[in-house]
Structures are given as C-alpha cells and as structure tokens.
mmCIF file of all heavy atoms in Angstrom:
data_model
loop_
_atom_site.group_PDB
_atom_site.id
_atom_site.type_symbol
_atom_site.label_atom_id
_atom_site.label_comp_id
_atom_site.label_asym_id
_atom_site.label_seq_id
_atom_site.Cartn_x
_atom_site.Cartn_y
_atom_site.Cartn_z
ATOM 1 N N PRO A 130 14.702 -5.094 1.666
ATOM 2 C CA PRO A 130 13.969 -3.908 2.124
ATOM 3 C C PRO A 130 13.312 -4.170 3.476
ATOM 4 O O PRO A 130 12.784 -5.235 3.725
ATOM 5 C CB PRO A 130 12.902 -3.687 1.046
ATOM 6 C CG PRO A 130 12.848 -4.936 0.259
ATOM 7 C CD PRO A 130 14.120 -5.694 0.484
ATOM 8 N N ASN A 131 13.392 -3.198 4.348
ATOM 9 C CA ASN A 131 12.772 -3.229 5.654
ATOM 10 C C ASN A 131 11.315 -2.810 5.496
ATOM 11 O O ASN A 131 11.041 -1.807 4.829
ATOM 12 C CB ASN A 131 13.529 -2.299 6.591
ATOM 13 C CG ASN A 131 12.956 -2.225 7.977
ATOM 14 O OD1 ASN A 131 11.764 -1.952 8.159
ATOM 15 N ND2 ASN A 131 13.797 -2.465 8.956
ATOM 16 N N ARG A 132 10.356 -3.526 6.095
ATOM 17 C CA ARG A 132 8.951 -3.180 5.913
ATOM 18 C C ARG A 132 8.637 -1.784 6.428
ATOM 19 O O ARG A 132 7.770 -1.107 5.904
ATOM 20 C CB ARG A 132 8.044 -4.220 6.562
ATOM 21 C CG ARG A 132 8.067 -4.280 8.049
ATOM 22 C CD ARG A 132 7.136 -5.378 8.552
ATOM 23 N NE ARG A 132 7.206 -5.475 9.990
ATOM 24 C CZ ARG A 132 6.393 -4.855 10.821
ATOM 25 N NH1 ARG A 132 5.434 -4.127 10.345
ATOM 26 N NH2 ARG A 132 6.518 -4.993 12.110
ATOM 27 N N HIS A 133 9.385 -1.312 7.435
ATOM 28 C CA HIS A 133 9.172 0.044 7.927
ATOM 29 C C HIS A 133 9.648 1.074 6.900
ATOM 30 O O HIS A 133 9.025 2.130 6.740
ATOM 31 C CB HIS A 133 9.849 0.252 9.268
ATOM 32 C CG HIS A 133 9.292 -0.643 10.349
ATOM 33 N ND1 HIS A 133 8.029 -0.486 10.857
ATOM 34 C CD2 HIS A 133 9.815 -1.713 10.962
ATOM 35 C CE1 HIS A 133 7.791 -1.407 11.760
ATOM 36 N NE2 HIS A 133 8.865 -2.180 11.839
ATOM 37 N N ASP A 134 10.740 0.770 6.217
ATOM 38 C CA ASP A 134 11.224 1.662 5.154
ATOM 39 C C ASP A 134 10.214 1.734 4.017
ATOM 40 O O ASP A 134 9.967 2.805 3.466
ATOM 41 C CB ASP A 134 12.581 1.187 4.624
ATOM 42 C CG ASP A 134 13.700 1.358 5.645
ATOM 43 O OD1 ASP A 134 13.539 2.172 6.584
ATOM 44 O OD2 ASP A 134 14.711 0.644 5.519
ATOM 45 N N LEU A 135 9.623 0.584 3.647
ATOM 46 C CA LEU A 135 8.624 0.574 2.582
ATOM 47 C C LEU A 135 7.423 1.417 2.970
ATOM 48 O O LEU A 135 6.865 2.151 2.140
ATOM 49 C CB LEU A 135 8.185 -0.859 2.274
ATOM 50 C CG LEU A 135 9.197 -1.716 1.532
ATOM 51 C CD1 LEU A 135 8.679 -3.146 1.383
ATOM 52 C CD2 LEU A 135 9.512 -1.133 0.171
ATOM 53 N N GLY A 136 7.001 1.345 4.210
ATOM 54 C CA GLY A 136 5.890 2.163 4.677
ATOM 55 C C GLY A 136 6.156 3.641 4.504
ATOM 56 O O GLY A 136 5.279 4.413 4.104
ATOM 57 N N ARG A 137 7.385 4.058 4.755
ATOM 58 C CA ARG A 137 7.737 5.472 4.578
ATOM 59 C C ARG A 137 7.715 5.847 3.110
ATOM 60 O O ARG A 137 7.266 6.934 2.744
ATOM 61 C CB ARG A 137 9.097 5.755 5.184
ATOM 62 C CG ARG A 137 9.061 5.893 6.707
ATOM 63 C CD ARG A 137 10.371 6.441 7.249
ATOM 64 N NE ARG A 137 11.411 5.438 7.325
ATOM 65 C CZ ARG A 137 11.554 4.567 8.322
ATOM 66 N NH1 ARG A 137 10.699 4.567 9.319
ATOM 67 N NH2 ARG A 137 12.518 3.707 8.332
ATOM 68 N N VAL A 138 8.161 4.969 2.242
ATOM 69 C CA VAL A 138 8.146 5.220 0.803
ATOM 70 C C VAL A 138 6.699 5.348 0.326
ATOM 71 O O VAL A 138 6.356 6.278 -0.407
ATOM 72 C CB VAL A 138 8.893 4.133 0.021
ATOM 73 C CG1 VAL A 138 8.650 4.269 -1.472
ATOM 74 C CG2 VAL A 138 10.384 4.182 0.334
ATOM 75 N N PHE A 139 5.834 4.433 0.743
ATOM 76 C CA PHE A 139 4.434 4.484 0.334
ATOM 77 C C PHE A 139 3.800 5.795 0.808
ATOM 78 O O PHE A 139 2.992 6.378 0.095
ATOM 79 C CB PHE A 139 3.649 3.308 0.910
ATOM 80 C CG PHE A 139 4.078 1.953 0.425
ATOM 81 C CD1 PHE A 139 3.937 0.835 1.222
ATOM 82 C CD2 PHE A 139 4.654 1.804 -0.840
ATOM 83 C CE1 PHE A 139 4.319 -0.412 0.771
ATOM 84 C CE2 PHE A 139 5.059 0.540 -1.286
ATOM 85 C CZ PHE A 139 4.903 -0.551 -0.479
ATOM 86 N N ASN A 140 4.162 6.259 1.971
ATOM 87 C CA ASN A 140 3.598 7.493 2.512
ATOM 88 C C ASN A 140 4.012 8.700 1.671
ATOM 89 O O ASN A 140 3.293 9.687 1.614
ATOM 90 C CB ASN A 140 4.025 7.700 3.966
ATOM 91 C CG ASN A 140 3.296 8.867 4.611
ATOM 92 O OD1 ASN A 140 2.075 8.909 4.658
ATOM 93 N ND2 ASN A 140 4.067 9.847 5.062
ATOM 94 N N GLU A 141 5.155 8.625 1.005
ATOM 95 C CA GLU A 141 5.624 9.725 0.180
ATOM 96 C C GLU A 141 4.871 9.824 -1.142
ATOM 97 O O GLU A 141 4.863 10.886 -1.777
ATOM 98 C CB GLU A 141 7.132 9.584 -0.073
ATOM 99 C CG GLU A 141 7.957 9.786 1.165
ATOM 100 C CD GLU A 141 9.426 9.472 0.949
ATOM 101 O OE1 GLU A 141 9.844 9.249 -0.208
ATOM 102 O OE2 GLU A 141 10.162 9.433 1.954
ATOM 103 N N VAL A 142 4.256 8.734 -1.584
ATOM 104 C CA VAL A 142 3.525 8.719 -2.863
ATOM 105 C C VAL A 142 2.174 8.032 -2.674
ATOM 106 O O VAL A 142 1.875 7.039 -3.329
ATOM 107 C CB VAL A 142 4.359 8.034 -3.962
ATOM 108 C CG1 VAL A 142 5.551 8.892 -4.397
ATOM 109 C CG2 VAL A 142 4.836 6.647 -3.526
ATOM 110 N N PRO A 143 1.304 8.575 -1.816
ATOM 111 C CA PRO A 143 0.066 7.860 -1.493
ATOM 112 C C PRO A 143 -0.860 7.638 -2.680
ATOM 113 O O PRO A 143 -1.508 6.597 -2.760
ATOM 114 C CB PRO A 143 -0.582 8.727 -0.429
ATOM 115 C CG PRO A 143 0.042 10.061 -0.565
ATOM 116 C CD PRO A 143 1.417 9.830 -1.104
ATOM 117 N N GLU A 144 -0.951 8.619 -3.585
ATOM 118 C CA GLU A 144 -1.857 8.434 -4.736
ATOM 119 C C GLU A 144 -1.380 7.327 -5.654
ATOM 120 O O GLU A 144 -2.168 6.528 -6.139
ATOM 121 C CB GLU A 144 -2.000 9.746 -5.523
ATOM 122 C CG GLU A 144 -2.775 10.845 -4.798
ATOM 123 C CD GLU A 144 -1.902 11.657 -3.840
ATOM 124 O OE1 GLU A 144 -0.654 11.462 -3.820
ATOM 125 O OE2 GLU A 144 -2.466 12.471 -3.093
ATOM 126 N N LEU A 145 -0.062 7.278 -5.893
ATOM 127 C CA LEU A 145 0.507 6.213 -6.715
ATOM 128 C C LEU A 145 0.299 4.864 -6.034
ATOM 129 O O LEU A 145 -0.130 3.899 -6.689
ATOM 130 C CB LEU A 145 1.996 6.455 -6.963
ATOM 131 C CG LEU A 145 2.754 5.345 -7.702
ATOM 132 C CD1 LEU A 145 2.175 5.152 -9.104
ATOM 133 C CD2 LEU A 145 4.248 5.681 -7.755
ATOM 134 N N TYR A 146 0.576 4.795 -4.755
ATOM 135 C CA TYR A 146 0.402 3.552 -4.002
ATOM 136 C C TYR A 146 -1.055 3.087 -4.110
ATOM 137 O O TYR A 146 -1.332 1.913 -4.380
ATOM 138 C CB TYR A 146 0.790 3.757 -2.542
ATOM 139 C CG TYR A 146 0.455 2.608 -1.640
ATOM 140 C CD1 TYR A 146 1.170 1.427 -1.692
ATOM 141 C CD2 TYR A 146 -0.587 2.716 -0.721
ATOM 142 C CE1 TYR A 146 0.860 0.362 -0.867
ATOM 143 C CE2 TYR A 146 -0.904 1.651 0.114
ATOM 144 C CZ TYR A 146 -0.178 0.494 0.044
ATOM 145 O OH TYR A 146 -0.493 -0.554 0.871
ATOM 146 N N ASP A 147 -1.981 4.011 -3.943
ATOM 147 C CA ASP A 147 -3.406 3.673 -4.014
ATOM 148 C C ASP A 147 -3.800 3.177 -5.403
ATOM 149 O O ASP A 147 -4.566 2.238 -5.552
ATOM 150 C CB ASP A 147 -4.238 4.889 -3.638
ATOM 151 C CG ASP A 147 -5.714 4.569 -3.530
ATOM 152 O OD1 ASP A 147 -6.073 3.658 -2.772
ATOM 153 O OD2 ASP A 147 -6.508 5.229 -4.226
ATOM 154 N N ARG A 148 -3.236 3.792 -6.417
ATOM 155 C CA ARG A 148 -3.594 3.458 -7.792
ATOM 156 C C ARG A 148 -3.108 2.071 -8.199
ATOM 157 O O ARG A 148 -3.789 1.341 -8.904
ATOM 158 C CB ARG A 148 -3.037 4.517 -8.752
ATOM 159 C CG ARG A 148 -3.557 4.417 -10.159
ATOM 160 C CD ARG A 148 -3.199 5.607 -11.035
ATOM 161 N NE ARG A 148 -1.764 5.849 -11.110
ATOM 162 C CZ ARG A 148 -1.146 6.948 -10.640
ATOM 163 N NH1 ARG A 148 -1.833 7.890 -10.048
ATOM 164 N NH2 ARG A 148 0.145 7.095 -10.769
ATOM 165 N N VAL A 149 -1.920 1.653 -7.739
ATOM 166 C CA VAL A 149 -1.336 0.397 -8.181
ATOM 167 C C VAL A 149 -1.591 -0.772 -7.222
ATOM 168 O O VAL A 149 -1.403 -1.913 -7.603
ATOM 169 C CB VAL A 149 0.175 0.513 -8.447
ATOM 170 C CG1 VAL A 149 0.451 1.563 -9.529
ATOM 171 C CG2 VAL A 149 0.946 0.833 -7.188
ATOM 172 N N ARG A 150 -2.041 -0.488 -6.033
ATOM 173 C CA ARG A 150 -2.292 -1.549 -5.062
ATOM 174 C C ARG A 150 -3.604 -2.232 -5.407
ATOM 175 O O ARG A 150 -4.625 -1.605 -5.570
ATOM 176 C CB ARG A 150 -2.385 -0.982 -3.649
ATOM 177 C CG ARG A 150 -2.417 -2.073 -2.611
ATOM 178 C CD ARG A 150 -2.583 -1.498 -1.218
ATOM 179 N NE ARG A 150 -2.362 -2.431 -0.172
ATOM 180 C CZ ARG A 150 -2.992 -3.582 0.028
ATOM 181 N NH1 ARG A 150 -3.896 -3.967 -0.817
ATOM 182 N NH2 ARG A 150 -2.731 -4.355 1.035
ATOM 183 N N PRO A 151 -3.587 -3.570 -5.491
ATOM 184 C CA PRO A 151 -4.835 -4.276 -5.778
ATOM 185 C C PRO A 151 -5.835 -4.108 -4.646
ATOM 186 O O PRO A 151 -5.454 -3.994 -3.476
ATOM 187 C CB PRO A 151 -4.416 -5.742 -5.922
ATOM 188 C CG PRO A 151 -2.962 -5.816 -5.642
ATOM 189 C CD PRO A 151 -2.448 -4.452 -5.359
ATOM 190 N N GLY A 152 -7.110 -4.095 -4.992
ATOM 191 C CA GLY A 152 -8.170 -3.999 -4.001
ATOM 192 C C GLY A 152 -8.461 -5.346 -3.359
ATOM 193 O O GLY A 152 -7.850 -6.365 -3.708
ATOM 194 N N TYR A 153 -9.407 -5.363 -2.461
ATOM 195 C CA TYR A 153 -9.807 -6.573 -1.768
ATOM 196 C C TYR A 153 -11.111 -7.103 -2.392
ATOM 197 O O TYR A 153 -12.009 -6.308 -2.665
ATOM 198 C CB TYR A 153 -10.044 -6.302 -0.285
ATOM 199 C CG TYR A 153 -8.812 -5.815 0.429
ATOM 200 C CD1 TYR A 153 -8.636 -4.463 0.739
ATOM 201 C CD2 TYR A 153 -7.801 -6.704 0.809
ATOM 202 C CE1 TYR A 153 -7.507 -4.034 1.393
ATOM 203 C CE2 TYR A 153 -6.651 -6.268 1.459
ATOM 204 C CZ TYR A 153 -6.526 -4.932 1.770
ATOM 205 O OH TYR A 153 -5.399 -4.491 2.408
ATOM 206 N N PRO A 154 -11.226 -8.389 -2.570
ATOM 207 C CA PRO A 154 -12.465 -8.951 -3.131
ATOM 208 C C PRO A 154 -13.609 -8.853 -2.112
ATOM 209 O O PRO A 154 -13.403 -8.951 -0.900
ATOM 210 C CB PRO A 154 -12.113 -10.406 -3.428
ATOM 211 C CG PRO A 154 -10.976 -10.714 -2.523
ATOM 212 C CD PRO A 154 -10.219 -9.431 -2.308
ATOM 213 N N ASP A 155 -14.819 -8.651 -2.606
ATOM 214 C CA ASP A 155 -16.002 -8.557 -1.748
ATOM 215 C C ASP A 155 -16.177 -9.810 -0.886
ATOM 216 O O ASP A 155 -16.636 -9.715 0.261
ATOM 217 C CB ASP A 155 -17.258 -8.338 -2.595
ATOM 218 C CG ASP A 155 -17.275 -6.976 -3.264
ATOM 219 O OD1 ASP A 155 -16.580 -6.047 -2.781
ATOM 220 O OD2 ASP A 155 -17.970 -6.837 -4.282
ATOM 221 N N GLU A 156 -15.777 -10.960 -1.419
ATOM 222 C CA GLU A 156 -15.899 -12.204 -0.682
ATOM 223 C C GLU A 156 -15.094 -12.191 0.620
ATOM 224 O O GLU A 156 -15.468 -12.840 1.604
ATOM 225 C CB GLU A 156 -15.435 -13.399 -1.546
ATOM 226 C CG GLU A 156 -16.287 -13.650 -2.761
ATOM 227 C CD GLU A 156 -15.922 -12.743 -3.941
ATOM 228 O OE1 GLU A 156 -14.881 -12.050 -3.904
ATOM 229 O OE2 GLU A 156 -16.705 -12.724 -4.916
ATOM 230 N N LEU A 157 -13.994 -11.439 0.643
ATOM 231 C CA LEU A 157 -13.186 -11.342 1.856
ATOM 232 C C LEU A 157 -14.012 -10.779 3.005
ATOM 233 O O LEU A 157 -13.958 -11.289 4.125
ATOM 234 C CB LEU A 157 -11.963 -10.448 1.604
ATOM 235 C CG LEU A 157 -11.133 -10.124 2.849
ATOM 236 C CD1 LEU A 157 -10.404 -11.344 3.346
ATOM 237 C CD2 LEU A 157 -10.145 -9.018 2.528
ATOM 238 N N PHE A 158 -14.824 -9.762 2.719
ATOM 239 C CA PHE A 158 -15.593 -9.122 3.780
ATOM 240 C C PHE A 158 -16.786 -9.975 4.172
ATOM 241 O O PHE A 158 -17.173 -9.995 5.343
ATOM 242 C CB PHE A 158 -15.995 -7.713 3.339
ATOM 243 C CG PHE A 158 -14.773 -6.872 3.117
ATOM 244 C CD1 PHE A 158 -14.274 -6.688 1.834
ATOM 245 C CD2 PHE A 158 -14.094 -6.316 4.183
ATOM 246 C CE1 PHE A 158 -13.109 -5.958 1.638
ATOM 247 C CE2 PHE A 158 -12.937 -5.587 3.987
ATOM 248 C CZ PHE A 158 -12.437 -5.396 2.718
#
C-alpha cells in the first residue's frame, strides 16, 4: 500500500479512523 493511498482511504471514513486509531499518551506531550 502507498501511504498516499492510505491517506485517501482514511479521509473517506474519518469517524471510523478516529475510533480505531490509538491515542497518544500524556507522557509524549
């Protein structure tokens, strides 16, 4: 998969992408 193609796919389903993508730990910030 091309990373640019994946970006387009994520853009087509933003709510799903947001729901399944892990968040960032507070320690990172």
